[in-house]
Amino acid sequence: MIVIHSEVPIHNDSKAEASKILKDMASTSRKEPGVIDYRVTFDIEAPATARIIEQYEDWDAVEAHESSSHLEWFQDAIEPHMRAEPTLYQYEVTEKIEAKGP
């Protein structure tokens, strides 16, 4: 499994409009073949930072997502609402284990 975690800094006054764009992107991305999950949250300690957590079956699914027309739409739509460049982290996961909480 491939996991991508993105941090997208949003202008405070753009959060409502950015949220709509992010919601549309997540909804569309979850329908792609090879996408396990695609979620967007806002950080409770930095409320103007969106966090996108993407899970893919393999690199082929990541590449398909990265070449999709809706990713191009998203990048164009979200850009005016960003206060800085996003930060992305990629992880290759060999095993997923459900852990017990505290």
Side-chain angles (χ1 to χ4, degrees):
M1 173 175 39
I2 309 303
V3 176
I4 301 175
H5 171 205
S6 305
E7 298 174 358
V8 184
I10 302 295
H11 292 292
N12 286 325
D13 60 349
S14 288
K15 189 173 175 185
E17 184 61 29
S19 293
K20 292 176 191 173
I21 295 165
L22 288 156
K23 183 177 180 179
D24 287 347
M25 181 61 180
S27 176
T28 302
S29 295
R30 282 193 294 272
K31 297 173 186 171
E32 293 178 63
V35 174
I36 297 169
D37 200 11
Y38 193 107
R39 298 290 164 179
V40 179
T41 65
F42 278 92
D43 190 314
I44 61 171
E45 294 177 353
T49 299
R51 297 192 183 274
I52 304 171
I53 297 107
E54 308 167 47
Q55 296 177 3
Y56 299 91
E57 291 177 358
D58 53 31
W59 285 109
D60 289 340
V62 173
E63 290 173 15
H65 173 73
E66 290 179 348
S67 63
S68 67
S69 60
H70 59 273
L71 179 59
E72 185 176 335
W73 165 83
F74 170 74
Q75 290 171 332
D76 290 341
I78 201 70
E79 193 275 330
H81 304 287
M82 294 188 323
R83 60 182 159 79
E85 288 295 314
T87 305
L88 284 75
Y89 304 94
Q90 295 180 334
Y91 306 90
E92 287 189 61
V93 179
T94 57
E95 187 175 11
K96 180 179 177 180
I97 301 168
E98 187 171 336
K100 294 185 179 188

XYZ file of all heavy atoms in Angstrom:
821
model
N 0.853 -1.176 0.000
C 0.000 0.000 0.000
C 0.894 1.233 0.000
O 1.936 1.261 0.649
C -0.907 -0.007 1.231
C -1.708 1.264 1.384
S -2.945 1.330 2.725
C -2.209 0.509 4.074
N 0.459 2.244 -0.695
C 1.147 3.534 -0.722
C 0.267 4.531 0.031
O -0.935 4.623 -0.217
C 1.354 4.044 -2.167
C 1.992 2.961 -3.051
C 2.148 5.341 -2.165
C 3.302 2.424 -2.574
N 0.878 5.271 0.942
C 0.178 6.310 1.693
C 0.858 7.639 1.388
O 2.085 7.746 1.440
C 0.209 6.037 3.215
C -0.436 7.189 3.980
C -0.479 4.728 3.538
N 0.066 8.626 1.043
C 0.565 9.978 0.818
C -0.146 10.901 1.792
O -1.368 10.871 1.910
C 0.330 10.439 -0.642
C 1.045 9.474 -1.605
C 0.812 11.875 -0.827
C 0.777 9.751 -3.061
N 0.645 11.679 2.502
C 0.114 12.645 3.471
C 0.544 14.024 3.001
O 1.729 14.293 2.877
C 0.669 12.340 4.866
C 0.347 13.392 5.875
N 1.106 13.598 6.982
C -0.649 14.308 5.945
C 0.600 14.584 7.693
N -0.461 15.024 7.076
N -0.431 14.875 2.733
C -0.156 16.244 2.281
C -0.640 17.241 3.316
O -1.695 17.051 3.918
C -0.883 16.533 0.962
O -0.545 15.586 -0.016
N 0.146 18.292 3.498
C -0.253 19.409 4.351
C -0.414 20.619 3.438
O 0.535 21.026 2.765
C 0.811 19.663 5.409
C 1.000 18.486 6.342
C 2.163 18.665 7.307
O 2.863 19.698 7.243
O 2.375 17.751 8.117
N -1.627 21.163 3.403
C -1.949 22.259 2.491
C -2.330 23.489 3.314
O -3.426 23.536 3.886
C -3.101 21.867 1.537
C -3.363 22.978 0.532
C -2.811 20.543 0.842
N -1.443 24.485 3.395
C -1.753 25.697 4.154
C -2.743 26.581 3.384
O -2.499 26.937 2.236
C -0.407 26.404 4.297
C 0.612 25.544 3.625
C -0.094 24.490 2.869
N -3.846 26.904 4.026
C -4.936 27.661 3.401
C -5.033 29.044 4.043
O -4.854 29.190 5.252
C -6.276 26.909 3.597
C -6.212 25.494 3.002
C -7.457 27.683 3.036
C -6.036 25.426 1.516
N -5.342 30.053 3.223
C -5.621 31.391 3.778
C -6.840 31.289 4.699
O -7.825 30.624 4.350
C -5.935 32.398 2.666
C -4.773 32.731 1.789
N -3.678 33.435 2.237
C -4.530 32.456 0.484
C -2.820 33.587 1.261
N -3.307 32.993 0.174
N -6.778 31.935 5.840
C -7.899 31.892 6.793
C -9.219 32.300 6.149
O -10.251 31.682 6.390
C -7.618 32.785 8.002
C -6.602 32.171 8.933
O -6.552 30.970 9.112
N -5.773 33.012 9.531
N -9.192 33.345 5.320
C -10.434 33.835 4.719
C -10.899 32.992 3.526
O -11.954 33.250 2.956
C -10.304 35.307 4.331
C -9.195 35.567 3.319
O -8.380 34.659 3.058
O -9.142 36.696 2.794
N -10.124 31.986 3.157
C -10.489 31.102 2.041
C -10.913 29.716 2.492
O -11.179 28.850 1.664
C -9.290 30.941 1.089
O -9.049 32.096 0.357
N -10.964 29.479 3.788
C -11.194 28.123 4.280
C -12.525 27.535 3.788
O -12.577 26.367 3.407
C -11.120 28.082 5.802
C -11.144 26.670 6.337
C -10.908 26.632 7.828
C -11.072 25.215 8.352
N -10.973 25.139 9.801
N -13.573 28.306 3.765
C -14.881 27.784 3.336
C -14.842 27.349 1.869
O -15.288 26.244 1.527
C -15.975 28.816 3.560
N -14.323 28.182 1.004
C -14.248 27.843 -0.414
C -13.255 26.706 -0.643
O -13.525 25.776 -1.413
C -13.844 29.063 -1.247
C -13.838 28.809 -2.735
C -15.193 28.416 -3.309
O -16.229 28.828 -2.779
O -15.205 27.669 -4.312
N -12.122 26.732 0.030
C -11.133 25.656 -0.096
C -11.722 24.329 0.374
O -11.457 23.277 -0.228
C -9.881 25.996 0.692
N -12.538 24.364 1.418
C -13.167 23.143 1.932
C -14.054 22.499 0.875
O -14.075 21.269 0.732
C -13.982 23.446 3.180
O -13.151 23.824 4.239
N -14.785 23.299 0.124
C -15.631 22.764 -0.942
C -14.783 22.090 -2.020
O -15.123 21.009 -2.501
C -16.463 23.882 -1.568
C -17.516 24.460 -0.653
C -18.217 25.623 -1.328
C -19.069 26.385 -0.343
N -19.626 27.616 -0.921
N -13.691 22.734 -2.393
C -12.793 22.188 -3.415
C -12.179 20.879 -2.923
O -12.138 19.886 -3.652
C -11.706 23.226 -3.769
C -12.346 24.450 -4.433
C -10.618 22.614 -4.651
C -11.443 25.671 -4.495
N -11.700 20.876 -1.686
C -11.097 19.681 -1.098
C -12.107 18.540 -0.993
O -11.785 17.379 -1.266
C -10.515 20.012 0.280
C -9.245 20.872 0.257
C -9.078 21.609 1.571
C -8.037 20.006 -0.040
N -13.334 18.861 -0.613
C -14.386 17.835 -0.500
C -14.680 17.213 -1.859
O -14.799 15.991 -1.976
C -15.654 18.448 0.100
C -16.758 17.442 0.324
C -17.965 18.086 0.979
C -19.061 17.065 1.192
N -20.236 17.655 1.838
N -14.779 18.048 -2.896
C -15.016 17.537 -4.251
C -13.869 16.639 -4.705
O -14.091 15.580 -5.296
C -15.200 18.681 -5.245
C -16.527 19.388 -5.105
O -17.424 18.869 -4.409
O -16.667 20.486 -5.692
N -12.648 17.069 -4.419
C -11.479 16.287 -4.814
C -11.483 14.924 -4.113
O -11.241 13.899 -4.741
C -10.201 17.055 -4.486
C -8.936 16.339 -4.877
S -8.873 16.041 -6.656
C -7.309 15.202 -6.756
N -11.746 14.921 -2.827
C -11.757 13.663 -2.068
C -12.833 12.719 -2.593
O -12.581 11.531 -2.818
C -11.947 13.947 -0.582
N -14.019 13.248 -2.805
C -15.135 12.430 -3.275
C -14.831 11.801 -4.631
O -15.065 10.607 -4.849
C -16.393 13.284 -3.353
O -17.456 12.553 -3.882
N -14.297 12.585 -5.536
C -13.960 12.086 -6.873
C -12.807 11.089 -6.803
O -12.841 10.042 -7.455
C -13.592 13.264 -7.801
O -14.696 14.158 -7.856
C -13.252 12.777 -9.196
N -11.801 11.385 -5.999
C -10.623 10.511 -5.908
C -10.962 9.152 -5.323
O -10.391 8.133 -5.736
C -9.533 11.186 -5.072
O -9.074 12.354 -5.723
N -11.887 9.090 -4.374
C -12.261 7.807 -3.774
C -12.895 6.855 -4.792
O -12.950 5.649 -4.569
C -13.203 8.014 -2.588
C -12.487 8.454 -1.331
C -13.377 8.351 -0.101
N -14.501 9.261 -0.136
C -14.487 10.521 0.311
N -13.382 11.027 0.837
N -15.566 11.258 0.242
N -13.371 7.370 -5.907
C -14.006 6.546 -6.942
C -12.995 5.950 -7.926
O -13.359 5.113 -8.753
C -15.033 7.377 -7.711
C -16.175 7.857 -6.836
C -17.070 8.806 -7.594
C -18.121 9.396 -6.656
N -18.872 10.483 -7.292
N -11.738 6.360 -7.847
C -10.715 5.886 -8.777
C -10.332 4.432 -8.484
O -10.250 4.040 -7.321
C -9.443 6.724 -8.652
C -9.554 8.147 -9.095
C -8.242 8.875 -8.883
O -7.239 8.499 -9.502
O -8.235 9.811 -8.067
N -10.061 3.647 -9.523
C -9.549 2.296 -9.301
C -8.217 2.349 -8.548
O -7.374 3.212 -8.828
C -9.332 1.743 -10.717
C -10.142 2.617 -11.609
C -10.226 3.960 -10.936
N -8.048 1.465 -7.590
C -6.795 1.390 -6.856
C -6.690 2.330 -5.667
O -5.715 2.296 -4.927
N -7.718 3.170 -5.485
C -7.724 4.055 -4.315
C -8.408 3.319 -3.164
O -9.564 2.908 -3.273
C -8.448 5.392 -4.607
C -8.576 6.233 -3.344
C -7.705 6.167 -5.687
N -7.676 3.150 -2.073
C -8.228 2.502 -0.887
C -9.023 3.515 -0.082
O -10.133 3.247 0.362
C -7.098 1.882 -0.036
C -6.388 0.796 -0.843
C -7.648 1.343 1.284
C -5.094 0.304 -0.225
N -8.451 4.704 0.086
C -9.144 5.770 0.810
C -8.491 7.103 0.480
O -7.319 7.159 0.079
C -9.099 5.523 2.321
C -10.181 6.294 3.078
O -11.100 6.852 2.429
O -10.105 6.341 4.307
N -9.245 8.175 0.637
C -8.765 9.529 0.358
C -9.561 10.450 1.277
O -10.772 10.598 1.116
C -9.027 9.877 -1.108
C -8.307 11.104 -1.616
C -7.227 10.981 -2.476
C -8.707 12.383 -1.251
C -6.566 12.098 -2.975
C -8.060 13.496 -1.736
C -6.987 13.354 -2.600
O -6.337 14.462 -3.085
N -8.910 10.995 2.275
C -9.597 11.799 3.291
C -8.927 13.154 3.475
O -7.714 13.282 3.376
C -9.596 11.081 4.646
C -10.324 9.776 4.651
C -11.803 9.982 4.515
N -12.452 8.719 4.137
C -13.726 8.591 3.962
N -14.530 9.611 4.144
N -14.233 7.434 3.612
N -9.744 14.148 3.796
C -9.260 15.497 4.078
C -9.746 15.906 5.454
O -10.917 15.708 5.794
C -9.774 16.517 3.032
C -9.281 17.919 3.358
C -9.359 16.099 1.625
N -8.847 16.459 6.244
C -9.191 16.989 7.561
C -8.516 18.344 7.714
O -7.600 18.686 6.966
C -8.714 16.071 8.704
O -7.276 16.035 8.696
C -9.265 14.670 8.567
N -8.963 19.096 8.707
C -8.259 20.324 9.083
C -7.645 20.110 10.459
O -8.272 19.525 11.345
C -9.207 21.532 9.073
C -9.405 22.099 7.701
C -10.446 21.663 6.899
C -8.527 23.049 7.193
C -10.619 22.168 5.622
C -8.690 23.558 5.910
C -9.739 23.122 5.128
N -6.433 20.566 10.615
C -5.674 20.398 11.846
C -6.310 21.220 12.969
O -6.547 22.414 12.799
C -4.234 20.861 11.591
C -3.285 20.516 12.704
O -3.625 20.735 13.886
O -2.173 20.050 12.395
N -6.585 20.616 14.119
C -7.219 21.362 15.211
C -6.261 22.354 15.865
O -6.700 23.307 16.495
C -7.849 20.435 16.278
C -6.807 19.552 16.926
C -8.966 19.617 15.685
C -7.316 18.774 18.125
N -4.955 22.152 15.707
C -3.981 23.090 16.266
C -3.558 24.155 15.261
O -3.001 25.179 15.644
C -2.765 22.330 16.794
C -3.108 21.447 17.985
C -1.929 20.640 18.480
O -0.867 20.644 17.830
O -2.074 19.998 19.540
N -3.797 23.893 13.994
C -3.506 24.848 12.926
C -4.704 24.810 11.972
O -4.644 24.196 10.912
C -2.213 24.478 12.217
N -5.810 25.446 12.362
C -7.084 25.287 11.652
C -7.077 25.670 10.172
O -7.994 25.295 9.446
C -8.045 26.181 12.430
C -7.413 26.386 13.760
C -5.939 26.274 13.548
N -6.076 26.387 9.720
C -6.018 26.747 8.306
C -5.068 25.825 7.535
O -4.635 26.156 6.437
C -5.593 28.202 8.150
N -4.775 24.664 8.101
C -3.954 23.669 7.406
C -4.795 22.432 7.142
O -5.250 21.768 8.073
C -2.706 23.290 8.236
O -1.913 24.457 8.433
C -1.882 22.229 7.529
N -5.011 22.162 5.857
C -5.719 20.950 5.461
C -4.716 19.808 5.399
O -3.572 19.990 4.980
C -6.373 21.137 4.101
N -5.135 18.649 5.836
C -4.307 17.447 5.756
C -5.046 16.443 4.881
O -6.211 16.120 5.148
C -4.053 16.868 7.137
C -3.272 17.835 8.006
C -2.772 17.173 9.274
N -2.087 18.121 10.113
C -0.798 18.432 10.010
N -0.073 17.867 9.083
N -0.251 19.303 10.829
N -4.371 15.997 3.856
C -4.947 15.022 2.935
C -4.216 13.705 3.161
O -2.988 13.653 3.087
C -4.798 15.475 1.472
C -5.413 16.864 1.270
C -5.425 14.441 0.530
C -5.115 17.479 -0.082
N -4.970 12.647 3.445
C -4.399 11.325 3.641
C -4.936 10.430 2.530
O -6.147 10.176 2.449
C -4.719 10.746 5.034
C -4.089 11.630 6.111
C -4.176 9.331 5.173
C -5.049 12.444 6.862
N -4.033 9.990 1.663
C -4.389 9.172 0.513
C -3.815 7.773 0.697
O -2.666 7.633 1.092
C -3.799 9.772 -0.764
C -4.117 11.239 -0.952
C -3.280 11.891 -2.037
O -3.161 11.313 -3.142
O -2.746 12.984 -1.784
N -4.605 6.761 0.380
C -4.138 5.376 0.436
C -4.420 4.714 -0.907
O -5.555 4.756 -1.398
C -4.851 4.604 1.543
C -4.571 5.132 2.925
C -5.357 4.368 3.988
O -6.071 3.417 3.695
N -5.229 4.792 5.225
N -3.377 4.117 -1.481
C -3.472 3.479 -2.792
C -3.009 2.024 -2.711
O -2.139 1.693 -1.904
C -2.590 4.208 -3.813
C -2.983 5.643 -4.015
C -2.407 6.651 -3.253
C -3.926 5.998 -4.960
C -2.769 7.983 -3.423
C -4.295 7.326 -5.142
C -3.713 8.309 -4.373
O -4.076 9.621 -4.547
N -3.542 1.187 -3.580
C -3.127 -0.213 -3.624
C -1.670 -0.356 -4.049
O -0.956 -1.215 -3.535
C -4.013 -1.002 -4.582
C -5.430 -1.174 -4.073
C -6.323 -1.893 -5.059
O -5.869 -2.252 -6.181
O -7.508 -2.089 -4.722
N -1.237 0.478 -5.013
C 0.125 0.353 -5.545
C 0.513 1.642 -6.270
O -0.277 2.586 -6.367
C 0.226 -0.859 -6.482
C -0.834 -0.852 -7.587
O -1.254 0.239 -8.033
O -1.252 -1.950 -7.997
N 1.754 1.649 -6.795
C 2.251 2.843 -7.486
C 1.501 3.112 -8.782
O 1.395 4.266 -9.214
C 3.757 2.727 -7.738
C 4.547 2.945 -6.483
C 5.238 2.006 -5.781
C 4.698 4.171 -5.761
N 5.816 2.580 -4.661
C 5.507 3.911 -4.630
C 4.232 5.467 -5.944
C 5.852 4.893 -3.701
C 4.575 6.452 -5.025
C 5.373 6.159 -3.927
N 0.977 2.073 -9.430
C 0.188 2.289 -10.651
C -1.047 3.136 -10.351
O -1.416 4.022 -11.129
C -0.243 0.958 -11.275
C 0.921 0.208 -11.906
O 1.958 0.837 -12.217
O 0.792 -1.022 -12.085
N -1.681 2.883 -9.214
C -2.854 3.675 -8.819
C -2.455 5.115 -8.516
O -3.182 6.055 -8.853
C -3.530 3.036 -7.608
N -1.294 5.300 -7.898
C -0.794 6.659 -7.624
C -0.557 7.389 -8.941
O -0.979 8.539 -9.113
C 0.505 6.623 -6.780
C 1.106 8.017 -6.659
C 0.249 6.023 -5.406
N 0.104 6.718 -9.876
C 0.392 7.336 -11.177
C -0.884 7.680 -11.931
O -0.972 8.743 -12.560
C 1.293 6.424 -12.000
C 2.706 6.347 -11.437
C 3.568 5.318 -12.148
O 3.191 4.855 -13.255
O 4.622 4.984 -11.589
N -1.880 6.808 -11.851
C -3.157 7.095 -12.510
C -3.808 8.323 -11.889
O -4.333 9.188 -12.600
C -4.084 5.879 -12.413
N -3.761 8.415 -10.573
C -4.317 9.579 -9.885
C -3.564 10.844 -10.289
O -4.176 11.872 -10.575
C -4.247 9.383 -8.370
C -4.641 10.594 -7.597
N -5.949 11.014 -7.498
C -3.896 11.490 -6.904
C -5.993 12.120 -6.772
N -4.766 12.429 -6.397
N -2.243 10.762 -10.313
C -1.430 11.936 -10.624
C -1.592 12.416 -12.056
O -1.296 13.569 -12.352
C 0.041 11.652 -10.308
C 0.290 11.563 -8.813
C 1.725 11.257 -8.450
O 2.525 10.887 -9.345
O 2.055 11.381 -7.258
N -2.087 11.562 -12.941
C -2.308 11.982 -14.330
C -3.789 12.243 -14.633
O -4.158 12.456 -15.780
C -1.746 10.934 -15.293
O -2.422 9.712 -15.147
N -4.620 12.246 -13.583
C -6.062 12.428 -13.785
C -6.418 13.889 -14.060
O -5.734 14.810 -13.611
C -6.839 11.937 -12.556
O -6.573 12.776 -11.443
N -7.506 14.077 -14.776
C -7.965 15.436 -15.078
C -8.475 16.133 -13.820
O -8.367 17.348 -13.694
C -9.054 15.410 -16.156
O -10.165 14.650 -15.717
N -9.030 15.381 -12.871
C -9.531 16.035 -11.659
C -8.390 16.502 -10.751
O -8.566 17.465 -10.023
C -10.557 15.190 -10.904
C -10.079 13.867 -10.453
N -10.133 12.761 -11.257
C -9.550 13.457 -9.287
C -9.644 11.729 -10.606
N -9.279 12.121 -9.411
N -7.217 15.869 -10.815
C -6.079 16.403 -10.053
C -5.632 17.730 -10.661
O -5.352 18.685 -9.943
C -4.918 15.413 -9.998
C -3.694 15.923 -9.227
C -4.033 16.263 -7.777
C -2.555 14.907 -9.289
N -5.615 17.794 -11.968
C -5.257 19.053 -12.645
C -6.265 20.150 -12.276
O -5.891 21.277 -11.962
C -5.221 18.842 -14.156
C -4.744 20.061 -14.911
C -4.619 19.798 -16.405
O -4.431 18.639 -16.816
O -4.722 20.789 -17.154
N -7.563 19.801 -12.302
C -8.605 20.761 -11.894
C -8.361 21.224 -10.461
O -8.425 22.415 -10.157
C -9.996 20.120 -12.000
C -11.026 20.919 -11.271
C -11.691 22.018 -11.742
C -11.460 20.722 -9.919
N -12.523 22.514 -10.764
C -12.392 21.740 -9.625
C -11.156 19.801 -8.925
C -13.020 21.852 -8.396
C -11.783 19.909 -7.702
C -12.703 20.925 -7.447
N -8.107 20.249 -9.557
C -7.894 20.566 -8.151
C -6.724 21.519 -7.963
O -6.837 22.508 -7.232
C -7.658 19.276 -7.350
C -7.200 19.528 -5.948
C -8.087 19.991 -4.985
C -5.879 19.319 -5.586
C -7.666 20.235 -3.681
C -5.446 19.562 -4.293
C -6.344 20.024 -3.341
N -5.607 21.233 -8.600
C -4.425 22.082 -8.439
C -4.710 23.514 -8.881
O -4.304 24.468 -8.216
C -3.243 21.484 -9.195
C -2.741 20.215 -8.546
C -1.724 19.472 -9.387
O -1.714 19.548 -10.621
N -0.855 18.722 -8.717
N -5.425 23.662 -9.975
C -5.783 25.007 -10.443
C -6.779 25.686 -9.502
O -6.674 26.876 -9.223
C -6.391 24.944 -11.851
C -5.373 24.587 -12.916
O -4.152 24.725 -12.668
O -5.796 24.152 -14.014
N -7.746 24.918 -9.002
C -8.797 25.489 -8.156
C -8.295 25.862 -6.765
O -8.710 26.879 -6.203
C -9.961 24.502 -8.043
N -7.401 25.049 -6.184
C -6.965 25.290 -4.804
C -5.847 26.328 -4.726
O -5.693 26.997 -3.696
C -6.546 23.954 -4.126
C -6.581 24.081 -2.597
C -5.169 23.502 -4.582
C -7.928 24.202 -1.994
N -5.087 26.501 -5.776
C -3.906 27.378 -5.749
C -4.182 28.790 -5.206
O -3.439 29.275 -4.358
C -3.261 27.429 -7.143
C -1.880 28.038 -7.150
C -1.901 29.546 -7.251
O -2.834 30.112 -7.850
O -0.972 30.169 -6.700
N -5.255 29.481 -5.631
C -5.483 30.829 -5.110
C -5.820 30.868 -3.615
O -5.750 31.918 -2.987
C -6.674 31.356 -5.918
C -6.994 30.360 -6.951
C -6.226 29.122 -6.658
N -6.173 29.724 -3.055
C -6.560 29.649 -1.642
C -5.408 29.240 -0.725
O -5.545 29.277 0.493
C -7.729 28.668 -1.476
C -8.895 29.024 -2.328
N -9.726 30.098 -2.047
C -9.358 28.473 -3.477
C -10.655 30.176 -2.989
N -10.446 29.208 -3.862
N -4.259 28.879 -1.320
C -3.116 28.434 -0.517
C -2.268 29.626 -0.087
O -2.010 30.522 -0.888
C -2.255 27.447 -1.311
C -2.952 26.160 -1.620
S -1.898 24.873 -2.363
C -0.815 25.760 -3.438
N -1.827 29.600 1.171
C -0.946 30.661 1.658
C 0.521 30.290 1.540
O 1.409 31.116 1.752
C -1.298 31.067 3.083
C -1.205 30.003 4.108
C -1.629 30.516 5.498
N -1.987 29.414 6.342
C -1.105 28.628 6.956
N 0.172 28.854 6.826
N -1.518 27.629 7.701
N 0.799 29.046 1.177
C 2.165 28.566 0.952
C 2.069 27.268 0.158
O 0.979 26.705 -0.006
C 2.880 28.323 2.285
N 3.206 26.801 -0.313
C 3.247 25.543 -1.052
C 2.909 24.376 -0.121
O 3.289 24.384 1.046
C 4.636 25.318 -1.660
C 4.940 26.235 -2.821
C 4.033 25.984 -4.015
O 3.833 24.806 -4.393
O 3.519 26.974 -4.569
N 2.219 23.359 -0.632
C 1.930 22.189 0.200
C 3.185 21.350 0.429
O 4.142 21.435 -0.336
C 0.905 21.411 -0.632
C 1.130 21.852 -2.030
C 1.650 23.259 -1.960
N 3.149 20.563 1.483
C 4.212 19.608 1.786
C 3.625 18.220 1.628
O 2.534 17.946 2.137
C 4.708 19.804 3.234
O 5.097 21.165 3.408
C 5.873 18.904 3.535
N 4.334 17.354 0.927
C 3.853 15.993 0.696
C 4.859 14.979 1.230
O 6.061 15.178 1.081
C 3.652 15.724 -0.807
C 2.425 16.334 -1.460
C 2.586 17.799 -1.688
C 2.140 15.623 -2.752
N 4.333 13.922 1.814
C 5.145 12.812 2.307
C 4.574 11.532 1.714
O 3.356 11.346 1.701
C 5.089 12.724 3.835
C 5.493 14.004 4.525
C 4.537 14.931 4.906
C 6.827 14.278 4.785
C 4.901 16.114 5.538
C 7.207 15.462 5.424
C 6.235 16.372 5.792
O 6.592 17.541 6.415
N 5.437 10.647 1.226
C 4.997 9.376 0.659
C 5.579 8.236 1.481
O 6.746 8.272 1.882
C 5.472 9.230 -0.783
C 4.863 10.242 -1.721
C 5.366 10.069 -3.142
O 6.447 9.559 -3.377
N 4.564 10.512 -4.095
N 4.757 7.210 1.701
C 5.167 6.042 2.476
C 4.780 4.780 1.721
O 3.673 4.693 1.187
C 4.459 6.009 3.840
C 4.624 7.268 4.649
C 3.714 8.318 4.525
C 5.677 7.409 5.543
C 3.851 9.476 5.271
C 5.822 8.569 6.301
C 4.906 9.598 6.153
O 5.044 10.748 6.887
N 5.671 3.807 1.709
C 5.347 2.475 1.219
C 5.100 1.616 2.448
O 5.982 1.468 3.292
C 6.489 1.896 0.397
C 6.621 2.544 -0.961
C 7.620 1.824 -1.843
O 7.405 0.623 -2.137
O 8.600 2.470 -2.215
N 3.900 1.072 2.542
C 3.502 0.306 3.717
C 3.473 -1.175 3.333
O 2.807 -1.555 2.373
C 2.114 0.763 4.225
C 1.682 -0.042 5.435
C 2.137 2.256 4.534
N 4.184 -1.987 4.081
C 4.221 -3.411 3.770
C 3.150 -4.193 4.507
O 2.776 -5.287 4.110
C 5.599 -4.017 4.112
O 5.875 -3.773 5.492
C 6.679 -3.392 3.256
N 2.656 -3.614 5.601
C 1.654 -4.317 6.390
C 0.785 -3.305 7.122
O 1.276 -2.307 7.631
C 2.351 -5.225 7.407
C 1.438 -6.122 8.171
C 2.212 -7.075 9.074
O 3.426 -6.907 9.264
O 1.573 -7.988 9.602
N -0.502 -3.576 7.163
C -1.431 -2.731 7.905
C -2.003 -3.565 9.059
O -2.603 -4.626 8.828
C -2.568 -2.244 7.005
C -3.568 -1.360 7.699
C -4.650 -0.896 6.735
C -5.698 -0.063 7.412
N -6.730 0.374 6.458
N -1.763 -3.100 10.265
C -2.215 -3.808 11.458
C -3.105 -2.874 12.261
O -2.747 -1.724 12.506
C -1.007 -4.230 12.323
C -0.064 -5.122 11.525
C -1.478 -4.927 13.592
C 1.268 -5.357 12.188
N -4.280 -3.357 12.633
C -5.159 -2.550 13.478
C -4.632 -2.621 14.910
O -4.546 -3.692 15.507
C -6.590 -3.055 13.422
C -7.549 -2.137 14.154
C -9.000 -2.516 13.916
O -9.298 -3.142 12.895
O -9.818 -2.169 14.795
N -4.245 -1.463 15.433
C -3.679 -1.393 16.774
C -4.771 -1.079 17.787
O -5.760 -0.422 17.466
C -2.593 -0.331 16.830
N -4.578 -1.557 18.984
C -5.512 -1.241 20.073
C -5.149 0.117 20.650
O -3.983 0.461 20.760
C -5.451 -2.306 21.151
C -5.943 -3.639 20.672
C -5.988 -4.651 21.784
C -6.512 -5.955 21.210
N -6.776 -6.931 22.229
N -6.167 0.872 21.013
C -5.956 2.195 21.591
C -5.530 2.107 23.045
O -5.447 1.018 23.622
N -5.249 3.262 23.613
C -4.773 3.281 25.014
C -5.809 2.778 26.006
O -6.953 2.748 25.804
C -4.480 4.756 25.272
C -5.047 5.511 24.135
C -5.387 4.534 23.051
